[in-house]
Amino acid sequence: LSVHLTLLHHGMIIAGLPYTFEGQSRIDEMTGCSPYGASTIAGNDGSRLPGETELAGARFQGRYVAQIAAKLAA
């Protein structure tokens, strides 16, 4: 696992959504997700639900964070 992390002076680690998640580079649909992390576009009234690409981004980032946590715990 190649991890690019930023350690802040508080000891926190920022683990955004890496570019290896190709869904954030799609141009054929409107989606959330960026290198800062998984997200969704909800609309002003919150009526839009997360799309499949956005849900896939959240699952990808969850696995990514779990892998980092496992390496730090080892």
Side-chain angles (χ1 to χ4, degrees), residues 49-62:
L49 297 175
E52 192 51 46
T53 301
E54 295 161 324
L55 293 172
R59 287 188 289 271
F60 189 101
Q61 188 173 10

Side-chain angles (χ1 to χ4, degrees), residues 27-42:
I27 59 170
D28 61 327
E29 67 176 309
M30 181 179 77
T31 64
C33 295
S34 75
Y36 296 106
S39 62
T40 190
I41 300 168

